Amino acid sequence: MNEAEAASRAAELRETINRHAHLYYVLDAPEIDDAAYDALYRELQALEEEYPHLRTPDSPTQRVGGAPLEGFTQVRHLEPMLSLANARNEEELLAWDQRNRRLLEAQGLGEERFRYVVEPKIDGLAISLTYRDGVFVVGATRGNGEVGEDVTANLRTIGSIPLRLLTREPPPVVEARGEVYLPLAAFRRLNEQRIAAGLPAFVNPRNSAAGSIRQLDPRLAAARPLDVWCYGIGYSEGLDLQDHTGALEWLRAAGFKVNPDIVTVEGIEQVAAAARSWEERRADLDYDIDGAVVKVDAFALQRALGSVAHDPRWAIAFKFAPSTMTTRLHSIEVNVGRTGVLTPFAVLEPVFVGGVTVERATLHNEDDIRRKDIRPGDDVIVQRAGDVIPQVVGPVTTGEVEDEEGRRVSREARHAALPEWSMPRTCPACGAETVRETGEVAVRCPNRSCPAQLIESIKHFVSKGAMDIEGIGDETVALLHQQGLIENVADLYGLERDHFVRVEAGKVVALPGFGGKTRKGPDGGLELVEAKRADKVLAAIEQSKQRPFARVLFALGIRHVGGVTAQALVERYPSMDALLSARAEDLAEVPGIGPVVAEAVEQYLGAEHNRETIEKLRAAGVRLVEESPARAEGPLTGSTFVLTGKLPTLTRGQAQELIEAAGGRVSSSVSRATDYVVAGEDAGSKLDKASRLGVAVIDEAALLELIGDGGEGRQDGQLALS
Ligand code: IVH
């Protein structure tokens, strides 16, 4: 190959590779696989190696390269990069439309409805990309709008930015404008890698995009999977475009990545609908958006409207309720839960985020606070998406703030000077020394009479899904506890009307909010006519005695026992007595229950004070037995079985099902009420107990015989009575 042939082959390769890059990065529709792409790329590299002058700026081999920069040079934008005024709600959007129409009417350009373009407002970094004769020559950040920083080397590494325009006859100069961003999936991956490498995680995709584009070493920028959405044309020469829709089409054809879901609509009503539809889609997108941008479509109208200060009148940002906001973290406080776990939470300067005012946010646990390095006094990013509980993402350590004396200080320095936070050594509710078990993240208060734990466990007991006692909310629980009327959940059933409201020494004595109606009695003293609220609460307490056993079990607030677990336990152990005699190893055999839950249940039921509470509930008439659904009638009706050891063919579950289908009951522990113990291999203590109590022990075959399923091949089917 001579030099001329090499030059023409290189040009061909550049075009082919750039076309495939466009298919891959912009259209997301590759036509060749990575290996074929690599082969073309290496062929071009080899040619350029031999003839270095073939290394043109639009060569795909030149995306990553060059030495790290000393610093960024400044570039003056060919046309200022403007910003956008905001509409915070639909009213402001309508007002904007009305003003536009008034202004245009005054110029004789009045129309009933205008065409508008509705675009996503990408939460990234504004950039300008200048092309001369079709070749990418300068890429810059927005800076102050007039002058930005030259980040060409870093922008070249973004695969979806064309190095040469795909248009056959490119204009002499054109400036594409757009937003650089980090896709959310890439952001998450990047943070995982950083955490694994012991580096601090980025607070949000915007910050990481900004940090990446300002890397002095383009190889580092190349390692960040940045992308770009183009949304407009700045300065240009030799283009003849009539409207914004046309400009977007031109950009698309030239090879830029333009959002496919941008819509052109007629009239402001449709604009509002389109903006709302963007807001609804927000959570499903792979990029952060913080609003919709609305633009008057026709360039003639745009020119007529002009700009005020730095904002064009022809465009507006319709802001969504932000899902993240920065605010000051005043302090970190601690809640004590019903199981004694101390949970830290953030006390924040109230901030409007995700559509609500947030003053508190969860902080999970001590380790998480350390990991994120959140310190009281920090400016933190608060996140609230959809219905989720507000979270503190982390401290903001970039930029500047005013300190107490009004001096500007870097947030980094301010953060570094703040003391780190640590979990209190003593329980904030009762003062007991807290404990953190090895291997656990949770710090807990070990004092079982800690008032916070008692109150929280009663709140849980009365809540919906548990005993669902209407009329007793968090405040009433706190009130009743404070009055010394309830120490634990069983005390609820000892409450009487007098506790809420009574006449004493001629006066009404009532808990706040529980007063009643009185009248003068025949002897001249006061008597209570009615006490509606107290009576309602007492009726609700009475009613709660009828809750199914599974609900009672859940309401007790045993660690790890949620509604589903409680139900699973009750299916195997249909009474409190059955449960009380179960051991952790038995419990762990219940489907869906692991050793941790089993351990927690055994521990709870084994504790003396919990047994006392349970006995009080029993005495009050709370249901501690599962009303079993109509039992099957069969040969085993009236017989109770206990299974032990490993049976030769049936699993425990299968054996239980067979027994129950035949009308029998399966219990977990051997007692005088047990009719048969079905023993398999490695049967343990239950066998001993059976022989002590004189309970019949049978094997699997005998069980099947009893059921009447002793089919062929089961010869040893006689009862093996002990
Ligand atoms: S148009 C003449 N369109 O929002 C208006 N801007 O506050 C200039 N942005 O600096 C911008 N998505 O960084 C426009 N579809 C979009 C946008 C968008 C995000 C950013 C851009 C700009 C800022 C304006």
Side-chain angles (χ1 to χ4, degrees):
M1 195 183 290
N2 63 32
E3 201 173 331
E5 282 165 350
S8 105
R9 177 64 184 152
E12 191 179 19
L13 282 168
R14 281 198 300 269
E15 200 187 320
T16 311
I17 295 169
N18 282 337
R19 192 170 65 80
H20 285 302
H22 178 248
L23 285 165
Y24 181 86
Y25 289 107
V26 178
L27 303 180
D28 198 14
E31 282 176 6
I32 57 172
D33 62 20
D34 290 357
Y37 183 88
D38 287 348
L40 293 170
Y41 190 91
R42 273 195 304 271
E43 188 186 342
L44 180 59
Q45 260 183 331
L47 283 176
E48 289 175 349
E49 187 79 11
E50 203 176 338
Y51 305 104
H53 72 275
L54 295 180
R55 271 194 197 118
T56 57
D58 68 329
S59 169
T61 63
Q62 303 306 298
R63 280 201 184 267
V64 193
L69 306 172
E70 295 277 303
F72 295 110
T73 48
Q74 309 245 298
V75 269
R76 180 163 291 277
H77 299 302
L78 297 174
E79 201 173 280
M81 290 180 80
L82 303 177
S83 55
L84 290 169
N86 289 330
R88 280 163 303 176
N89 49 46
E90 263 180 59
E91 272 151 54
E92 293 187 3
L93 191 64
L94 295 181
W96 172 72
D97 169 68
Q98 267 176 5
R99 198 190 47 181
N100 284 347
R101 283 190 294 158
R102 238 191 0 259
L103 287 169
L104 291 170
E105 203 156 348
Q107 300 180 54
L109 292 166
E111 261 176 64
E112 204 25 56
R113 12 173 55 84
F114 294 121
R115 260 181 302 116
Y116 287 109
V117 180
V118 186
E119 307 178 345
K121 186 168 191 298
I122 314 294
D123 195 10
L125 214 74
I127 47 140
S128 144
L129 308 165
T130 303
Y131 290 76
R132 290 190 187 274
D133 297 320
V135 178
F136 178 45
V137 286
V138 178
T141 61
R142 178 172 181 273
N144 63 9
E146 304 278 339
V147 176
E149 281 177 326
D150 185 336
V151 289
T152 314
N154 290 341
L155 288 171
R156 296 176 71 87
T157 67
I158 300 177
S160 62
I161 293 181
L163 297 176
R164 174 183 283 278
L165 301 180
L166 299 184
T167 18
R168 281 285 151 225
E169 282 169 47
V173 188
V174 63
E175 198 191 348
R177 300 253 170 106
E179 197 87 351
V180 170
Y181 69 98
L182 196 67
L184 299 182
F187 169 69
R188 278 181 226 117
R189 254 194 327 269
L190 179 64
N191 263 356
E192 273 164 29
Q193 288 163 3
R194 287 178 69 87
I195 289 166
L199 295 166
F202 283 116
V203 172
N204 59 36
R206 209 197 99 81
N207 283 9
S208 62
S212 306
I213 214 66
R214 298 194 74 260
Q215 287 286 344
L216 287 168
D217 186 347
R219 272 166 308 197
L220 291 179
R224 305 277 173 80
L226 293 168
D227 210 335
V228 63
W229 284 120
C230 285
Y231 52 66
I233 293 176
Y235 179 82
S236 72
E237 284 170 21
L239 279 184
D240 181 27
L241 296 165
Q242 304 309 315
D243 51 29
H244 186 61
T245 308
L248 294 177
E249 267 161 31
W250 186 89
L251 286 168
R252 250 186 217 117
F256 293 97
K257 199 165 145 176
V258 177
N259 198 295
D261 297 319
I262 291 175
V263 289
T264 306
V265 299
E266 196 100 10
I268 200 71
E269 300 79 12
Q270 288 199 48
V271 167
R276 268 196 303 275
S277 123
W278 273 112
E279 186 159 19
E280 278 158 22
R281 251 178 300 169
R282 186 178 188 183
D284 305 327
L285 302 174
D286 187 33
Y287 43 91
D288 263 348
I289 65 176
D290 55 354
V293 181
V294 186
K295 298 172 180 172
V296 169
D297 195 20
F299 285 157
L301 300 183
Q302 286 191 5
R303 273 191 298 274
L305 286 165
S307 342
V308 252
H310 298 292
D311 302 337
R313 284 202 194 85
W314 49 265
I316 199 158
F318 180 77
K319 290 280 212 162
F320 301 150
S323 54
T324 63
M325 285 289 280
T326 299
T327 193
R328 183 62 54 90
L329 171 66
H330 291 311
S331 62
I332 296 179
E333 286 175 23
V334 172
N335 253 331
V336 184
R338 66 185 148 85
T339 58
V341 174
L342 271 60
T343 312
F345 64 94
V347 178
L348 303 161
E349 177 62 28
V351 62
F352 195 72
V353 50
V356 297
T357 301
V358 171
E359 299 179 58
R360 267 144 222 251
T362 79
L363 285 169
H364 307 293
N365 55 53
E366 192 176 14
D367 286 0
D368 202 51
I369 294 172
R370 281 276 154 74
R371 191 162 45 237
K372 294 176 179 164
D373 194 13
I374 297 168
R375 307 179 187 188
D378 267 330
D379 284 328
V380 292
I381 292 179
V382 178
Q383 183 167 40
R384 184 187 175 275
D387 295 332
V388 302
I389 304 163
Q391 313 252 339
V392 174
V393 179
V396 184
T397 48
T398 55
E400 294 189 331
V401 276
E402 265 180 29
D403 70 3
E404 282 62 34
E405 276 95 55
R407 286 181 302 237
R408 304 213 46 88
V409 291
S410 84
R411 277 213 175 92
E412 179 81 64
R414 195 174 167 282
H415 166 82
L418 293 168
E420 279 183 28
W421 184 83
S422 54
M423 203 60 134
R425 296 259 154 83
T426 56
C427 171
C430 71
E433 241 172 74
T434 56
V435 291
R436 178 170 176 169
E437 272 142 50
T438 38
E440 275 206 38
V441 280
V443 173
R444 52 181 73 242
C445 162
N447 172 16
R448 62 179 171 76
S449 32
C450 168
Q453 288 181 52
L454 297 176
I455 291 175
E456 289 306 316
S457 60
I458 300 169
K459 281 185 191 168
H460 171 72
F461 187 82
V462 302
S463 68
K464 275 208 169 53
M467 298 303 266
D468 194 8
I469 303 182
E470 228 176 291
I472 303 195
D474 289 1
E475 277 170 34
T476 311
V477 170
L479 181 66
L480 292 170
H481 182 268
Q482 183 212 327
Q483 297 289 320
L485 293 170
I486 49 173
E487 267 289 303
N488 63 42
V489 299
D491 294 338
L492 286 166
Y493 296 96
L495 288 173
E496 289 168 13
R497 199 201 225 196
D498 278 4
H499 291 129
F500 293 95
V501 51
R502 62 182 185 274
V503 177
E504 205 176 273
K507 277 206 208 112
V508 178
V509 184
L511 294 182
F514 283 93
K517 249 195 215 153
T518 51
R519 68 162 177 231
K520 271 222 159 67
D523 57 353
L526 280 181
E527 61 186 38
L528 211 51
V529 185
E530 57 174 39
K532 275 196 186 155
R533 187 159 166 217
D535 289 346
K536 251 173 105 175
V537 165
L538 290 168
I541 292 173
E542 188 59 32
Q543 242 188 2
S544 74
K545 294 178 183 171
Q546 298 311 314
R547 300 278 177 260
F549 176 46
R551 290 271 285 271
V552 180
L553 195 57
F554 166 62
L556 288 175
I558 303 168
R559 263 178 96 190
H560 308 301
V561 178
V564 174
T565 306
Q567 191 60 50
L569 283 169
V570 166
E571 267 162 33
R572 180 63 59 90
Y573 298 95
S575 71
M576 185 57 92
D577 288 329
L579 258 182
L580 284 170
S581 55
R583 303 241 312 272
E585 67 224 54
D586 305 324
L587 294 166
E589 291 201 21
V590 177
I593 290 176
V596 175
V597 181
E599 191 66 41
V601 174
E602 190 192 56
Q603 228 178 47
Y604 180 93
L605 296 177
E608 188 54 36
H609 62 284
N610 290 330
R611 294 241 181 186
E612 275 168 27
T613 303
I614 290 167
E615 288 318 315
K616 281 191 197 158
L617 290 174
R618 192 199 303 271
V622 172
R623 278 170 58 171
L624 299 181
V625 179
E626 179 72 348
E627 286 286 274
S628 41
R631 258 178 208 294
E633 282 285 318
L636 303 188
T637 299
S639 302
T640 300
F641 292 76
V642 171
L643 300 165
T644 180
K646 191 176 172 340
L647 301 178
T649 68
L650 298 171
T651 66
R652 271 195 186 212
Q654 288 168 333
Q656 177 165 5
E657 262 172 41
L658 282 175
I659 292 167
E660 287 172 352
R665 270 199 46 171
V666 176
S667 165
S668 63
S669 55
V670 182
S671 71
R672 283 184 206 285
T674 311
D675 294 294
Y676 302 98
V677 169
V678 185
E681 215 178 300
D682 295 331
S685 62
K686 288 179 186 167
L687 208 52
D688 302 340
K689 193 160 180 198
S691 61
R692 247 187 298 129
L693 297 176
V695 174
V697 177
I698 60 173
D699 61 7
E700 181 188 288
L703 170 68
L704 294 169
E705 188 80 358
L706 277 180
I707 295 170
D709 187 29
E712 284 126 83
R714 298 190 200 274
Q715 282 106 26
D716 53 350
Q718 79 272 33
L719 293 184
L721 291 172
S722 65

